[in-house]
Amino acid sequence: MAARSGGSAVARLKDVAEAAGVSVKTVSNVVNGSVQVAEETRARVQLAIDELGYQPNMTARRLRTGRSGVIALAFPELPSPYFAELAVEVIAAARRHGCTVLMDDTGGDPGAELRIASGLGDPMIDGVILSPLGLDQAELVDRERPIPLVLLGEADLGPVADRVHIDNVSAARDATRHLVDQGYRRIGAIGWQDPSPRATAQQRLQGYAEALQSAGLQLDPALHPPVRSYFRPDGAAAMRRLLKLPERPDAVFCFNDLLALGAMRAVHEAGLRTPEDIALVGFDDVEEAEYAIPSLTTIAPDKTKIAELAVSLLLQRIVHGDAAPSQFLTPGYRLVVRESSRRR
């Protein structure tokens, strides 16, 4: 068998096939992502690829198939743990399909997003997975290069590209209903944006409002102060505003975990306790949520399935590019109940 790094030869497709107990054609299908392969077989082939250190010959692949196996991935806020964790899942999913991922951070800038959506002007990029913030439908339609594209997230830009997302309204409704079920009655929300709310803010506020209405609770505008962005300082600033109200909330639903963690800090600085004085629920289930003190109740999107669906859709679009774009709801999310929202 061919040696790994440090040996006199590199692993070949044939070596991978022998190690995995499959045909060379099956290994090729896994590497190229050209056809569906049973998940068990794909996992066995990927294990052999990893153990042997097999590296596809990109030049040969492009000459043979017209594709390089390189895809681009771009998020608006890579410092956000949610996007960082999702990026890891996308890279892993792409690797299972024999693809390499190039990453970029757009900062939510429409120009940067359009450049990514057009393939960065690089003919070696086969397709793009993009989470847009500032891009609009007209810009996508008129992009310079109509490269295969899958969009992630809440922004609905119409039938321009495949889109993968979760039901944010339902998830926010479930998060707020959990607080209602725990016995909280003056429930605030942190994450609304004014005057230009993102789709995330609109959908999660809608779910929050629907849960309050269903419980017969009043939607008080003073209980959802606007934020500039979705980072810890924004959550802390919004919580300080809530704490200054004549009647402060007894619970708060935050539109992401970073807002919730910032809010938790502000509660602590005010000499109050979570959840005894103010319960908190977040959204995203980033790793930090589990290790916060107290640990944070949160909505957990299935990042692994989001990534796998996005990569699979993109590869299908690369191979069969003529089908009409579709909207895909992922298999869902779950509410992870931890210490920050439990009645004690």
Side-chain angles (χ1 to χ4, degrees), residues 180-270:
V180 172
D181 291 344
Q182 290 290 300
Y184 300 104
R185 289 297 177 265
R186 186 163 171 78
I187 302 172
I190 294 178
W192 178 244
Q193 295 171 306
D194 189 21
S196 300
R198 299 177 185 173
T200 302
Q202 294 171 333
Q203 294 170 20
R204 295 181 188 176
L205 186 72
Q206 179 183 339
Y208 158 78
E210 289 179 1
L212 294 184
Q213 182 179 19
S214 178
L217 300 175
Q218 181 180 3
L219 179 64
D220 183 350
L223 287 178
H224 52 88
V227 298
R228 295 181 60 186
S229 190
Y230 276 26
F231 291 97
R232 296 174 188 84
D234 305 286
M239 178 57 80
R240 292 185 190 109
R241 290 183 61 180
L242 291 174
L243 294 177
K244 291 178 181 177
L245 293 175
E247 185 182 357
R248 70 177 185 236
D250 58 2
V252 177
F253 165 50
C254 299
F255 292 5
N256 80 350
D257 287 345
L258 296 190
L259 290 172
L261 292 167
M264 189 182 295
R265 178 69 188 185
V267 169
H268 172 75
E269 289 175 348

Coordinates of all heavy atoms in Angstrom, one line a residue, residues 180-270:
V180 N -43.3 30.9 29.8 CA -44.7 31.0 30.3 C -45.1 29.8 31.1 O -45.6 29.9 32.2 CB -45.7 31.1 29.1 CG1 -47.2 31.0 29.6 CG2 -45.5 32.5 28.4
D181 N -44.7 28.6 30.6 CA -44.9 27.4 31.3 C -44.2 27.3 32.7 O -44.7 26.6 33.6 CB -44.5 26.2 30.5 CG -45.4 26.0 29.2 OD1 -46.5 26.6 29.2 OD2 -45.0 25.3 28.3
Q182 N -43.1 28.0 32.8 CA -42.4 28.0 34.1 C -43.0 28.9 35.1 O -42.6 29.0 36.2 CB -40.9 28.4 33.8 CG -40.1 27.4 33.1 CD -39.8 26.2 33.9 OE1 -39.2 26.2 35.0 NE2 -40.3 25.0 33.5
G183 N -44.0 29.7 34.6 CA -44.7 30.5 35.6 C -44.4 32.0 35.5 O -44.9 32.8 36.2
Y184 N -43.5 32.4 34.5 CA -43.1 33.8 34.4 C -44.3 34.5 33.6 O -44.9 34.0 32.7 CB -41.8 33.9 33.6 CG -40.7 33.2 34.4 CD1 -40.2 32.0 33.9 CD2 -40.1 33.8 35.5 CE1 -39.2 31.4 34.6 CE2 -39.1 33.2 36.2 CZ -38.6 32.0 35.7 OH -37.6 31.3 36.4
R185 N -44.5 35.8 34.0 CA -45.6 36.5 33.4 C -45.2 37.9 32.8 O -45.9 38.4 31.9 CB -46.7 36.7 34.4 CG -47.4 35.4 34.8 CD -48.2 34.9 33.5 NE -48.9 33.6 33.8 CZ -48.3 32.5 33.5 NH1 -47.1 32.4 33.0 NH2 -49.0 31.4 33.7
R186 N -44.1 38.5 33.2 CA -43.7 39.7 32.6 C -42.4 39.4 31.8 O -41.3 39.5 32.4 CB -43.5 40.8 33.7 CG -43.1 42.2 33.1 CD -43.3 43.3 34.1 NE -42.8 44.6 33.6 CZ -43.4 45.4 32.8 NH1 -44.6 45.0 32.3 NH2 -42.9 46.5 32.4
I187 N -42.6 39.0 30.6 CA -41.5 38.4 29.8 C -41.0 39.4 28.8 O -41.8 39.9 27.9 CB -42.0 37.1 29.1 CG1 -42.4 36.1 30.2 CG2 -40.8 36.5 28.3 CD1 -43.1 34.9 29.6
G188 N -39.7 39.8 28.9 CA -39.2 40.7 27.9 C -38.5 40.0 26.7 O -38.4 38.7 26.7
A189 N -38.0 40.7 25.8 CA -37.2 40.2 24.7 C -36.1 41.1 24.3 O -36.3 42.4 24.3 CB -38.2 40.0 23.4
I190 N -35.0 40.5 24.0 CA -33.8 41.3 23.6 C -33.4 40.8 22.2 O -33.1 39.6 22.0 CB -32.6 41.2 24.6 CG1 -33.0 41.9 25.9 CG2 -31.4 41.9 24.0 CD1 -31.9 41.7 27.0
G191 N -33.3 41.7 21.2 CA -32.9 41.4 19.9 C -33.6 42.1 18.8 O -33.3 42.1 17.6
W192 N -34.7 42.9 19.2 CA -35.4 43.7 18.2 C -34.4 44.8 17.7 O -33.6 45.3 18.4 CB -36.6 44.3 18.7 CG -37.3 45.2 17.8 CD1 -37.5 46.6 17.9 CD2 -37.9 44.9 16.5 NE1 -38.2 47.1 16.8 CE2 -38.5 46.0 16.0 CE3 -38.1 43.6 15.9 CZ2 -39.1 46.0 14.7 CZ3 -38.7 43.6 14.7 CH2 -39.3 44.8 14.1
Q193 N -34.6 45.2 16.4 CA -33.7 46.2 15.8 C -34.6 47.3 15.2 O -35.6 47.0 14.5 CB -32.8 45.6 14.7 CG -31.8 44.6 15.3 CD -31.0 43.9 14.2 OE1 -31.6 43.3 13.3 NE2 -29.7 44.0 14.2
D194 N -34.2 48.5 15.4 CA -35.0 49.7 14.9 C -34.1 50.8 14.5 O -33.1 51.1 15.2 CB -35.9 50.2 16.1 CG -36.9 51.2 15.6 OD1 -37.2 51.3 14.4 OD2 -37.4 52.0 16.5
P195 N -34.2 51.3 13.3 CA -35.3 51.2 12.4 C -35.3 50.2 11.3 O -36.2 50.1 10.5 CB -35.3 52.6 11.7 CG -33.9 53.0 11.6 CD -33.2 52.4 12.8
S196 N -34.2 49.5 11.2 CA -34.0 48.5 10.1 C -33.8 47.1 10.6 O -32.7 46.6 10.7 CB -32.8 48.9 9.2 OG -33.0 50.2 8.7
P197 N -34.9 46.4 11.1 CA -34.7 45.1 11.6 C -34.3 44.1 10.6 O -34.8 44.1 9.4 CB -36.1 44.8 12.2 CG -37.0 45.6 11.4 CD -36.3 46.9 11.1
R198 N -33.4 43.2 10.9 CA -33.1 42.0 10.1 C -34.3 41.0 10.1 O -35.2 41.1 11.0 CB -31.9 41.3 10.5 CG -30.6 42.2 10.6 CD -29.5 41.3 11.1 NE -28.3 42.1 11.3 CZ -27.2 41.7 11.9 NH1 -27.1 40.5 12.4 NH2 -26.1 42.4 12.0
A199 N -34.3 40.1 9.2 CA -35.3 39.1 9.1 C -35.3 38.3 10.4 O -36.3 37.8 10.9 CB -35.1 38.1 7.9
T200 N -34.1 38.1 11.0 CA -33.9 37.4 12.3 C -34.8 38.1 13.4 O -35.6 37.4 14.1 CB -32.5 37.3 12.7 OG1 -31.7 36.7 11.7 CG2 -32.3 36.5 14.0
A201 N -34.6 39.4 13.5 CA -35.3 40.1 14.5 C -36.8 40.1 14.2 O -37.6 39.9 15.2 CB -34.9 41.6 14.5
Q202 N -37.3 40.2 13.0 CA -38.7 40.2 12.7 C -39.3 38.9 13.0 O -40.4 38.8 13.7 CB -38.9 40.5 11.2 CG -38.4 41.9 10.8 CD -38.4 42.1 9.3 OE1 -38.2 41.2 8.5 NE2 -38.6 43.3 8.9
Q203 N -38.7 37.8 12.6 CA -39.3 36.5 12.8 C -39.3 36.1 14.3 O -40.2 35.5 14.8 CB -38.5 35.4 12.0 CG -38.7 35.7 10.5 CD -37.8 34.8 9.6 OE1 -37.3 33.8 10.1 NE2 -37.6 35.2 8.4
R204 N -38.2 36.3 15.0 CA -38.1 35.9 16.4 C -39.0 36.8 17.3 O -39.6 36.3 18.2 CB -36.7 35.9 16.9 CG -35.9 34.8 16.2 CD -34.5 34.7 16.5 NE -33.8 33.7 15.6 CZ -32.5 33.4 15.6 NH1 -31.7 33.9 16.5 NH2 -32.1 32.5 14.7
L205 N -39.2 38.1 16.9 CA -40.2 38.9 17.6 C -41.6 38.4 17.4 O -42.4 38.4 18.3 CB -40.1 40.4 17.2 CG -41.0 41.3 18.1 CD1 -40.4 41.5 19.5 CD2 -41.1 42.7 17.4
Q206 N -41.9 38.0 16.2 CA -43.2 37.4 15.8 C -43.5 36.2 16.7 O -44.6 36.1 17.3 CB -43.3 37.1 14.4 CG -44.6 36.5 14.0 CD -44.7 36.1 12.5 OE1 -43.9 36.5 11.7 NE2 -45.6 35.2 12.2
G207 N -42.5 35.3 16.8 CA -42.8 34.1 17.6 C -43.0 34.4 19.1 O -43.8 33.8 19.7
Y208 N -42.2 35.4 19.6 CA -42.3 35.9 21.0 C -43.7 36.4 21.2 O -44.4 36.1 22.2 CB -41.2 36.9 21.2 CG -41.4 37.9 22.3 CD1 -41.2 37.5 23.7 CD2 -41.8 39.2 22.1 CE1 -41.4 38.4 24.7 CE2 -41.9 40.1 23.1 CZ -41.7 39.7 24.4 OH -41.9 40.6 25.4
A209 N -44.2 37.3 20.3 CA -45.5 37.9 20.4 C -46.6 36.9 20.3 O -47.6 37.0 21.1 CB -45.6 39.0 19.3
E210 N -46.5 35.9 19.5 CA -47.5 34.9 19.3 C -47.6 34.1 20.6 O -48.8 33.7 21.0 CB -47.2 34.0 18.2 CG -47.4 34.7 16.8 CD -47.1 33.7 15.6 OE1 -46.7 32.6 15.9 OE2 -47.2 34.2 14.5
A211 N -46.5 33.8 21.3 CA -46.6 33.0 22.5 C -47.2 33.8 23.6 O -48.0 33.3 24.4 CB -45.1 32.6 22.9
L212 N -46.9 35.1 23.7 CA -47.5 36.0 24.7 C -49.0 36.0 24.5 O -49.8 35.9 25.4 CB -46.9 37.4 24.7 CG -45.5 37.5 25.1 CD1 -45.1 39.0 25.1 CD2 -45.2 36.9 26.5
Q213 N -49.4 36.3 23.2 CA -50.8 36.4 22.9 C -51.6 35.1 23.3 O -52.7 35.1 23.8 CB -51.0 36.7 21.4 CG -52.5 36.9 21.0 CD -52.6 37.2 19.5 OE1 -51.7 37.0 18.7 NE2 -53.7 37.7 19.1
S214 N -51.0 33.9 22.9 CA -51.6 32.7 23.2 C -51.8 32.5 24.7 O -52.8 31.8 25.1 CB -50.7 31.5 22.7 OG -51.3 30.3 23.0
A215 N -50.9 33.0 25.5 CA -51.0 32.9 27.0 C -51.8 34.0 27.6 O -52.0 34.1 28.9 CB -49.6 32.9 27.6
G216 N -52.4 34.9 26.8 CA -53.2 36.0 27.3 C -52.4 37.1 28.0 O -52.9 37.8 28.8
L217 N -51.1 37.2 27.6 CA -50.2 38.2 28.1 C -50.0 39.4 27.2 O -50.1 39.2 26.0 CB -48.8 37.6 28.5 CG -48.8 36.5 29.5 CD1 -47.4 35.9 29.6 CD2 -49.3 36.9 30.8
Q218 N -49.9 40.6 27.7 CA -49.8 41.8 26.9 C -48.4 41.9 26.3 O -47.4 41.7 26.9 CB -50.1 43.0 27.8 CG -50.0 44.3 27.0 CD -50.3 45.5 27.9 OE1 -50.5 45.4 29.2 NE2 -50.3 46.7 27.4
L219 N -48.4 42.4 25.0 CA -47.1 42.7 24.4 C -46.8 44.2 24.6 O -47.4 45.1 24.1 CB -47.2 42.5 22.8 CG -46.0 42.8 22.0 CD1 -44.8 41.9 22.4 CD2 -46.3 42.7 20.5
D220 N -45.8 44.4 25.5 CA -45.4 45.7 25.9 C -44.2 46.2 25.2 O -43.1 45.6 25.4 CB -45.2 45.7 27.4 CG -44.9 47.1 28.0 OD1 -44.7 48.1 27.2 OD2 -44.8 47.3 29.2
P221 N -44.3 47.2 24.3 CA -43.1 47.7 23.6 C -41.9 48.0 24.5 O -40.7 47.8 24.1 CB -43.6 48.9 22.8 CG -45.0 48.7 22.7 CD -45.4 48.0 24.0
A222 N -42.1 48.4 25.7 CA -41.0 48.8 26.6 C -40.2 47.5 27.0 O -39.1 47.7 27.4 CB -41.6 49.4 27.9
L223 N -40.8 46.3 26.8 CA -40.1 45.1 27.2 C -39.3 44.5 26.1 O -38.7 43.5 26.3 CB -41.2 44.1 27.7 CG -41.8 44.3 29.1 CD1 -42.8 43.3 29.4 CD2 -40.7 44.4 30.1
H224 N -39.2 45.1 24.9 CA -38.3 44.6 23.9 C -37.5 45.8 23.3 O -37.8 46.3 22.2 CB -39.0 43.8 22.8 CG -40.2 44.4 22.2 ND1 -40.1 45.3 21.1 CD2 -41.5 44.3 22.4 CE1 -41.3 45.6 20.7 NE2 -42.2 45.1 21.5
P225 N -36.6 46.4 24.1 CA -35.8 47.5 23.6 C -34.9 47.1 22.4 O -34.5 46.0 22.3 CB -34.9 47.9 24.8 CG -34.8 46.6 25.6 CD -36.2 45.9 25.4
P226 N -34.7 48.0 21.5 CA -33.9 47.7 20.3 C -32.4 47.6 20.7 O -31.9 48.1 21.6 CB -34.1 48.9 19.4 CG -34.4 50.0 20.3 CD -35.2 49.4 21.5
V227 N -31.7 46.8 19.8 CA -30.2 46.6 19.9 C -29.6 47.0 18.6 O -30.3 46.9 17.5 CB -29.9 45.2 20.3 CG1 -30.4 44.8 21.7 CG2 -30.3 44.2 19.2
R228 N -28.4 47.3 18.6 CA -27.6 47.6 17.4 C -27.2 46.4 16.7 O -27.2 46.3 15.5 CB -26.4 48.5 17.7 CG -26.8 49.9 18.2 CD -25.6 50.8 18.5 NE -24.8 50.9 17.2 CZ -23.6 51.5 17.2 NH1 -23.0 52.0 18.3 NH2 -23.0 51.7 16.0
S229 N -26.7 45.4 17.5 CA -26.1 44.2 16.9 C -26.4 43.1 17.9 O -27.2 43.2 18.8 CB -24.6 44.3 16.6 OG -24.2 43.2 15.9
Y230 N -25.8 41.9 17.6 CA -26.2 40.7 18.4 C -25.0 40.1 19.2 O -24.8 38.9 19.2 CB -26.7 39.6 17.4 CG -28.2 39.8 17.1 CD1 -28.9 41.0 17.2 CD2 -29.0 38.7 16.8 CE1 -30.2 41.1 16.9 CE2 -30.3 38.8 16.5 CZ -30.9 40.0 16.5 OH -32.3 40.1 16.3
F231 N -24.3 41.0 19.8 CA -23.1 40.6 20.6 C -23.3 40.9 22.1 O -24.3 41.5 22.4 CB -21.8 41.3 20.1 CG -21.4 40.8 18.7 CD1 -21.7 41.5 17.6 CD2 -20.7 39.6 18.6 CE1 -21.4 41.0 16.3 CE2 -20.3 39.1 17.3 CZ -20.6 39.8 16.2
R232 N -22.4 40.4 22.9 CA -22.6 40.5 24.4 C -22.9 41.9 24.8 O -23.8 42.1 25.7 CB -21.4 39.9 25.0 CG -21.2 38.4 24.8 CD -19.9 37.9 25.4 NE -19.6 36.5 25.0 CZ -19.0 36.2 23.9 NH1 -18.6 37.1 23.0 NH2 -18.7 34.9 23.6
P233 N -22.1 42.9 24.4 CA -22.3 44.3 24.9 C -23.7 44.8 24.6 O -24.3 45.5 25.4 CB -21.3 45.1 24.2 CG -20.2 44.2 23.8 CD -20.9 42.9 23.5
D234 N -24.3 44.4 23.4 CA -25.7 44.8 23.1 C -26.7 44.2 24.0 O -27.6 44.8 24.5 CB -26.0 44.4 21.6 CG -24.9 44.9 20.7 OD1 -25.0 46.1 20.4 OD2 -24.1 44.1 20.2
G235 N -26.5 42.9 24.4 CA -27.4 42.2 25.3 C -27.3 42.9 26.7 O -28.3 43.1 27.4
A236 N -26.1 43.2 27.2 CA -25.9 43.9 28.5 C -26.6 45.2 28.5 O -27.3 45.6 29.5 CB -24.4 44.0 28.8
A237 N -26.4 46.0 27.4 CA -27.0 47.4 27.4 C -28.5 47.3 27.4 O -29.2 48.1 28.1 CB -26.5 48.1 26.1
A238 N -29.1 46.4 26.6 CA -30.5 46.2 26.6 C -31.1 45.8 27.9 O -32.1 46.3 28.4 CB -30.9 45.2 25.5
M239 N -30.4 44.9 28.6 CA -30.8 44.4 29.9 C -30.8 45.6 30.9 O -31.7 45.7 31.8 CB -30.0 43.2 30.4 CG -30.4 42.7 31.8 SD -32.1 42.3 32.0 CE -32.1 40.6 31.2
R240 N -29.8 46.4 30.9 CA -29.7 47.5 31.8 C -30.9 48.5 31.6 O -31.5 49.0 32.6 CB -28.4 48.3 31.6 CG -27.2 47.5 32.0 CD -25.9 48.3 31.9 NE -24.7 47.5 32.1 CZ -23.9 47.2 31.1 NH1 -24.0 47.6 29.9 NH2 -22.9 46.4 31.4
R241 N -31.4 48.6 30.4 CA -32.6 49.4 30.1 C -33.8 48.8 30.7 O -34.7 49.4 31.3 CB -32.8 49.6 28.6 CG -31.8 50.5 27.9 CD -32.1 50.7 26.5 NE -33.4 51.3 26.2 CZ -33.9 51.6 25.0 NH1 -33.1 51.3 23.9 NH2 -35.0 52.1 24.9
L242 N -33.9 47.5 30.6 CA -35.0 46.7 31.2 C -35.0 46.8 32.7 O -36.1 46.9 33.3 CB -35.0 45.3 30.7 CG -35.3 45.0 29.3 CD1 -35.1 43.5 28.9 CD2 -36.7 45.4 28.9
L243 N -33.9 46.8 33.3 CA -33.8 46.9 34.8 C -34.2 48.2 35.3 O -34.5 48.4 36.5 CB -32.4 46.5 35.2 CG -31.9 45.1 35.0 CD1 -30.5 44.9 35.4 CD2 -32.8 44.1 35.7
K244 N -34.2 49.3 34.5 CA -34.5 50.6 34.9 C -36.0 50.9 34.8 O -36.5 51.9 35.2 CB -33.8 51.7 34.0 CG -32.3 51.7 34.3 CD -31.6 52.7 33.4 CE -30.1 52.8 33.6 NZ -29.4 53.7 32.7
L245 N -36.8 49.9 34.2 CA -38.2 50.1 34.1 C -38.9 50.1 35.5 O -38.4 49.5 36.4 CB -38.8 49.0 33.3 CG -38.5 48.9 31.8 CD1 -39.0 47.6 31.2 CD2 -39.0 50.1 31.1
P246 N -40.0 50.9 35.6 CA -40.7 50.9 36.9 C -41.0 49.4 37.4 O -41.0 49.1 38.6 CB -41.9 51.7 36.7 CG -41.6 52.6 35.5 CD -40.6 51.7 34.7
E247 N -41.4 48.6 36.4 CA -41.6 47.2 36.7 C -40.8 46.3 35.8 O -41.1 46.2 34.6 CB -43.1 46.8 36.5 CG -43.5 45.4 37.0 CD -44.9 45.1 36.7 OE1 -45.7 45.9 36.3 OE2 -45.3 43.9 36.9
R248 N -39.7 45.8 36.3 CA -38.8 45.1 35.5 C -39.4 43.7 35.1 O -40.3 43.2 35.8 CB -37.4 44.9 36.2 CG -37.5 43.9 37.4 CD -36.1 43.7 38.0 NE -36.2 42.7 39.1 CZ -35.8 42.9 40.3 NH1 -35.3 44.1 40.7 NH2 -35.8 41.9 41.2
P249 N -38.8 43.1 34.1 CA -39.3 41.8 33.7 C -38.9 40.7 34.6 O -37.9 40.9 35.4 CB -38.7 41.5 32.3 CG -37.5 42.4 32.3 CD -37.8 43.6 33.1
D250 N -39.6 39.6 34.7 CA -39.2 38.5 35.5 C -38.5 37.4 34.6 O -38.0 36.4 35.2 CB -40.3 37.9 36.3 CG -41.5 37.4 35.5 OD1 -41.4 37.5 34.2 OD2 -42.5 36.9 36.1
A251 N -38.5 37.6 33.3 CA -37.9 36.7 32.4 C -37.6 37.4 31.1 O -38.4 38.3 30.7 CB -38.7 35.4 32.2
V252 N -36.6 37.0 30.3 CA -36.3 37.6 29.1 C -35.9 36.5 28.1 O -35.0 35.7 28.4 CB -35.1 38.6 29.2 CG1 -34.8 39.2 27.8 CG2 -35.5 39.7 30.2
F253 N -36.5 36.6 26.9 CA -36.1 35.8 25.7 C -35.1 36.6 24.9 O -35.5 37.7 24.4 CB -37.3 35.3 24.9 CG -36.9 34.8 23.6 CD1 -35.9 33.8 23.4 CD2 -37.6 35.2 22.4 CE1 -35.6 33.3 22.1 CE2 -37.3 34.7 21.2 CZ -36.3 33.8 21.0
C254 N -33.9 36.1 24.7 CA -32.9 36.8 23.9 C -32.8 36.1 22.5 O -32.8 34.8 22.5 CB -31.5 36.8 24.6 SG -31.6 37.6 26.2
F255 N -32.6 36.9 21.5 CA -32.7 36.4 20.1 C -31.4 35.6 19.7 O -31.4 35.0 18.6 CB -33.0 37.5 19.1 CG -34.4 38.0 19.3 CD1 -35.2 37.6 20.3 CD2 -34.8 39.0 18.4 CE1 -36.5 38.2 20.4 CE2 -36.1 39.5 18.5 CZ -36.9 39.1 19.5
N256 N -30.3 35.7 20.5 CA -29.2 34.7 20.3 C -28.5 34.6 21.7 O -28.8 35.3 22.6 CB -28.3 35.1 19.2 CG -27.3 36.2 19.5 OD1 -27.4 36.8 20.6 ND2 -26.3 36.4 18.6
D257 N -27.6 33.6 21.8 CA -27.0 33.3 23.0 C -26.0 34.4 23.5 O -25.9 34.7 24.7 CB -26.2 32.0 22.9 CG -27.1 30.8 22.8 OD1 -28.3 30.9 23.2 OD2 -26.6 29.7 22.5
L258 N -25.4 35.1 22.5 CA -24.5 36.2 23.0 C -25.2 37.3 23.6 O -24.8 37.9 24.6 CB -23.7 36.7 21.8 CG -22.7 35.7 21.1 CD1 -21.9 36.5 20.1 CD2 -21.9 35.0 22.1
L259 N -26.4 37.7 23.1 CA -27.2 38.7 23.8 C -27.6 38.2 25.2 O -27.6 39.0 26.1 CB -28.5 38.9 23.0 CG -28.4 39.6 21.6 CD1 -29.7 39.6 20.9 CD2 -27.9 41.1 21.8
A260 N -27.9 36.9 25.3 CA -28.3 36.3 26.6 C -27.2 36.4 27.6 O -27.3 36.7 28.8 CB -28.9 34.9 26.4
L261 N -26.0 36.1 27.1 CA -24.8 36.1 28.0 C -24.5 37.5 28.5 O -24.1 37.7 29.6 CB -23.6 35.4 27.3 CG -23.8 33.9 27.0 CD1 -22.7 33.4 26.1 CD2 -23.7 33.1 28.3
G262 N -24.6 38.5 27.6 CA -24.4 39.9 28.0 C -25.5 40.3 29.0 O -25.2 41.0 29.9
A263 N -26.7 39.9 28.7 CA -27.8 40.2 29.6 C -27.6 39.6 31.0 O -27.8 40.2 32.0 CB -29.1 39.7 29.1
M264 N -27.1 38.3 31.0 CA -26.8 37.7 32.3 C -25.7 38.4 33.1 O -25.8 38.6 34.3 CB -26.3 36.2 32.0 CG -26.2 35.4 33.2 SD -25.5 33.7 32.8 CE -26.8 33.0 31.8
R265 N -24.8 39.0 32.4 CA -23.7 39.8 33.1 C -24.3 41.0 33.7 O -24.0 41.4 34.8 CB -22.6 40.2 32.1 CG -21.5 41.0 32.7 CD -20.7 40.3 33.7 NE -19.8 41.2 34.4 CZ -18.9 40.7 35.2 NH1 -18.7 39.4 35.5 NH2 -18.1 41.6 35.8
A266 N -25.2 41.7 33.0 CA -25.9 42.9 33.5 C -26.7 42.6 34.7 O -26.8 43.4 35.7 CB -26.7 43.6 32.4
V267 N -27.4 41.4 34.7 CA -28.2 41.0 35.8 C -27.3 40.9 37.1 O -27.6 41.3 38.2 CB -29.0 39.7 35.5 CG1 -29.6 39.1 36.8 CG2 -30.1 40.0 34.5
H268 N -26.2 40.2 36.9 CA -25.2 40.0 37.9 C -24.7 41.3 38.5 O -24.6 41.5 39.7 CB -24.1 39.1 37.4 CG -22.9 38.9 38.4 ND1 -23.0 38.1 39.5 CD2 -21.7 39.5 38.4 CE1 -21.9 38.2 40.2 NE2 -21.1 39.0 39.6
E269 N -24.3 42.2 37.6 CA -23.8 43.5 38.0 C -24.8 44.3 38.8 O -24.4 45.2 39.6 CB -23.3 44.3 36.8 CG -22.0 43.7 36.1 CD -21.7 44.4 34.9 OE1 -22.5 45.2 34.4 OE2 -20.6 44.2 34.3
A270 N -26.1 44.1 38.5 CA -27.1 44.8 39.3 C -27.4 44.2 40.6 O -28.3 44.7 41.3 CB -28.4 44.8 38.4

